[in-house]
Amino acid sequence: MAEHQHANDKNSLSLWGAVSMGTGVMIGAGIFALTGQIAELAGTWFPLAFFVAAVVAGFSAYSYVKMAQIYPSAGGIAMFLKKAYGRGLMTGACALLMYFSMVINESLVARTFGTYVLQIFDAKDAQWLIPALGVGLLCFAFFVNILSNKFIQTFSFATAFVKIAGLAVLAIGGLWATGWSFESVSVEPQDTGITSFLGAVALAILGYKGFTTITNSGGELKNANENVGLAIIWSISICVVLYVFVALAVGANLTIEEIVKAKDYSLAEASRPAFGQFGVWFTVGFAIIATVSGVIASVFAVSRMLAMLTSMQLVPHRHFKLPGNLQRHTLVYTVSIAILLTIFFDLSRIASLGAVFYIVMDICIHWGVLRHLREDVQAKAWVLITAINLDVVILIAFLSVKAQSDMLVVWISLIGLVLVFVAEKWFLKLHEYDEDDPHYSKETSSS
């Protein structure tokens, strides 16, 4: 079976192009929607939660960097898992967890878009508009994604710089307007235990997991063996500085109670004391740009990941007489799932599901490298073990917090995990790889 290759030419992506792509995906709902939820769990330590999450993301990035250095042309989580586990249950199930966590993130960004748009209008009682606007954004992302890859990449690169500049303005302006005061950020948080803080870190990790998209372009990146790692390091470094300073600015302008009350649009609310209504409009406009570009970039990446899984025959597929090739079909399926999640789940539950699925998948990546590929990729065991332990501790803490506040999320997460593994095992038992299977051809075939 030939490994899935990206459509772009080799050496077509520069180091800073990869950095802009990584930060473009990372900066989105992670900071716009999750700041309030993180503050609710971490209290006055919520800026620290973003920093600790960056440390965890740094350890997590180690496995991806090592894999990409040796297998840069086989970028993508599915291919990394296949190198570690072969075509089997772990590869299929864990790749699907990553796929669903990314689709969940698209729904999170879509609902964040709707939430911030409503801040422009006096429509706080019309909550049905939030999922409606989110669905509209996902449909727009679908139509953009059927355009040329070059247009999508150019659009993503341009908006990445806008996102970075906008967050910098919000952070510096917010702190300057309050005289660099940090009244809401205390070194002695009240009513914040270690378990609650680690639960906040689990959510904050969602703001960094976009670095994995950089590994997807290892085959197109110039000097990929070196630049994949550099791009990941630069992306995480840029984001942690922005996230921490934005969190400090929010804490300087709002109390924890005010942040939690406006948790779905806390950045817009934080700009009001410093800049008035103009600040709200600026923040909302910037949030719209960030969420729109984030959804487009995410849909672009995750639909291709599903196409890769389909080509590897690790998931069932039917064309349903849809026009176009396999990649177009996976685009339709991806957006359809994201729309359903956007309609039926709120921001808090969407984020929680995404965090659980991502952390479980991340543990499996590290274990696969430690158990099967450590010598091949020259990885240090202590780093891999540390990454696994950090993920396990944070996952347990997060589930403990959710068990006390929203047990339904815990049950949905656990049931979802079981269903993914059971369904994948059942599928692999019934389906052996077949190069002549018409359902997996890249061109349209009748179902």
Side-chain angles (χ1 to χ4, degrees), residues 30-46:
I31 187 68
F32 284 101
L34 297 180
T35 298
Q37 294 186 47
I38 292 169
E40 186 175 18
L41 292 175
T44 53
W45 270 7
F46 75 98

Side-chain angles (χ1 to χ4, degrees), residues 8 12-13 21 148-158 217 300:
N8 298 331
S12 63
L13 187 63
M21 181 176 64
S148 67
N149 292 358
K150 183 177 181 181
F151 172 81
I152 298 170
Q153 290 189 12
T154 302
F155 179 79
S156 298
F157 294 162
S217 297
F300 180 87

Side-chain angles (χ1 to χ4, degrees), residues 3 48 75 80 103 149 153 160 163 185 195 203 224 238 260 324 340 345 355 379 416:
E3 291 182 348
L48 182 61
F80 288 176
V103 175
N149 292 358
Q153 290 189 12
K163 293 178 185 182
V185 182
T195 301
L203 285 178
I238 290 170
V260 173
L340 290 175
F345 286 86

Side-chain angles (χ1 to χ4, degrees), residues 140-178:
F140 174 73
F142 170 80
F143 287 111
V144 171
N145 268 273
I146 63 178
L147 301 177
S148 67
N149 292 358
K150 183 177 181 181
F151 172 81
I152 298 170
Q153 290 189 12
T154 302
F155 179 79
S156 298
F157 294 162
T159 55
F161 293 105
V162 174
K163 293 178 185 182
I164 293 172
L167 279 181
V169 170
L170 288 176
I172 296 172
L175 290 171
W176 176 80
T178 59

Side-chain angles (χ1 to χ4, degrees), residues 14 30 91 102 109 121 128-129 146 165 184 187 258 284 289 333 357 426 432 437 446:
S14 67
T91 297
M102 294 174 73
V109 178
F121 310 100
W128 63 271
L129 284 173
I146 63 178
S184 294
V187 295
E258 290 171 333
V284 170
I289 294 173
Y333 305 150
F357 283 9
W426 176 78
E432 294 291 336
D437 190 331
S446 297

